[in-house]
Amino acid sequence: MERARPIVAGVVTALVGFASSFTVVLAGLRGVGADERQAASGLLALCVAVGVVSITLGLRHRMPIAIAWSTPGAALLMGAGGSFAEAVGAFVVCGALIMAAGLVPWLGRAIAAIPGPIAAAMLAGVLLKLCLAPVHAMLDVPYLAGPVILVWALLYRFARTWAVPGALLTAVAAIALTSRPAGLEVAPVIEITVPVFTLPSIVGIAVPLFLVTMAAQNVPGMAVLSGYGFRPPLRGVLLATGAASAVGAPLGGHAINLAAITAALAASPEAEPDPSRRWIASVTAGVSMIGLGLCSSAAAALVLLSPPVLVEAVAGLALFAALGAALSSAFTRADGREGAVVTFVVTASGVTWAGVGSAFWGLVAGGLMHLLVRPAQAASLRSTLPTDSA
């Protein structure tokens, strides 16, 4: 039984990763114009891409390199709008940018140069609208949302890892009791969308998706692995995830990356006391994710039976922790807080200008504010430093 421990950990990693955020993915794809079949195809593409890259990197490096889809990126898509073909074009560009970050050292340094509070504030602004969904659901469908939120709160207190999966199962039960799930399509769906490349979609979707995937997933993912004593080559990880993202884009997948939240489930001693065997957990998670992808059509169809606000409520509950972490990173330090506030407000506003969404303009506005107040802050800091006396 002890030898099977990393296998069990891998299955749990996949189940938690899928159940806790697949509703976010479906809501995000629908937000950029995907229909039911395109959204199901996108979820399948992401599951397969996550599985293949997890298996490949785990076997090659013998490390628990857990891969996941970009949950913050999917949340970003919800307010993007536009045609799905244009969004697919942006997904391809995002994958190319991730690969470029692995190939071109200065690009990676440029991403790292974005002030942390501003990047976190952009993510918080993106997540805010979705995290308000449970409140709206309690007003619109209290008989459905109430049990979901109650189960989530109780499990969050006593078994935090299973809080979102438990809320999802409660939502499924509520849907089954109040709907007539006739004729659900359960066979895997593959729907190819020819990408269309436009400047507004590249600037408004591809660039923010790339930035949030790097800042909110790949960087924390490397930090988690490093904390457990694993240092996989970042270049290889970025090349593999970027290529898989670009290949999966015409099928509807938006982006994959290093796992950040579920990474610890495969890399920690709880998965396997022997660090040299923990790669089994991430490889098993990859195999399990491919298996879960075969159920993507049924998951997408079931979600469509429920009120949209209920699906968004489950997705919002899944992102509460991410919102809290982003807000903390954005506003804890007084230094640079002005730029973070501007970024958060503009991003959360949801405004679109010149066909470009608010996430990009929030980053621009916050960056300009940061540059504006930085000299004054530096001067203020120098005035508080003690001076040498003769």
Side-chain angles (χ1 to χ4, degrees), residues 39-370:
S41 177
L43 184 58
L44 172 61
L46 289 170
C47 289
V48 173
V50 165
V52 169
V53 176
S54 295
I55 294 169
T56 302
L57 293 179
L59 291 175
R60 180 176 181 181
H61 300 291
R62 289 298 195 269
M63 295 183 190
I65 307 174
I67 304 296
W69 53 58
S70 177
T71 301
L76 182 148
L77 300 177
M78 290 190 64
S83 75
F84 190 57
E86 292 177 349
V88 168
F91 299 164
V92 174
V93 173
C94 177
L97 288 173
I98 294 173
M99 293 181 66
L103 291 172
V104 183
W106 67 260
L107 181 58
R109 290 194 296 269
I111 300 302
I114 297 175
I118 289 180
M122 182 187 74
L123 177 59
V126 167
L127 297 178
L128 178 62
K129 180 180 178 181
L130 191 55
C131 287
L132 291 174
V135 180
H136 296 300
M138 279 300 297
L139 294 176
D140 295 345
V141 285
Y143 58 94
L144 294 177
V148 172
I149 295 173
L150 178 61
V151 169
W152 173 83
L154 290 174
L155 287 176
Y156 195 85
R157 169 62 178 84
F158 296 105
R160 186 167 299 186
T161 300
W162 298 101
V164 174
L168 176 63
L169 289 176
T170 305
V172 170
I175 295 168
L177 290 172
T178 58
S179 304
R180 295 291 181 266
L184 282 182
E185 185 171 9
V186 296
V189 172
I190 298 176
E191 198 78 13
I192 298 176
T193 301
V194 178
V196 173
F197 301 95
T198 64
L199 185 59
S201 67
I202 290 173
V203 176
I205 297 178
V207 173
L209 179 58
F210 165 65
L211 292 175
V212 79
T213 298
M214 292 293 294
Q217 295 279 168
N218 284 326
V219 173
M222 285 296 292
V224 170
L225 288 174
S226 178
Y228 287 111
F230 300 101
R231 301 183 183 276
L234 180 59
R235 178 180 180 179
V237 171
L238 294 179
L239 289 176
T241 55
S245 296
V247 171
L251 299 176
H254 64 289
I256 68 167
N257 43 245
L258 277 172
I261 300 172
T262 57
L265 295 177
S268 69
E270 286 73 19
E272 166 59 48
D274 182 1
S276 66
R277 297 187 69 245
R278 291 179 200 165
W279 62 270
I280 300 173
S282 64
V283 170
T284 303
V287 174
S288 301
M289 188 60 81
I290 294 174
L292 289 169
L294 299 178
C295 305
S296 58
S297 297
L302 186 63
V303 163
L304 288 176
L305 292 173
S306 69
V309 70
L310 182 63
V311 178
E312 293 179 5
V314 176
L317 294 172
L319 294 172
F320 269 16
L323 176 62
L327 288 171
S328 177
S329 298
F331 302 122
T332 297
R333 293 174 51 190
D335 179 28
R337 186 175 294 166
E338 296 87 350
V341 169
V342 172
T343 301
F344 175 72
V345 169
V346 175
T347 302
S349 71
V351 298
T352 298
W353 184 59
V356 178
S358 62
F360 176 79
W361 296 121
L363 193 64
V364 171
L368 292 175
M369 187 66 182
H370 177 78

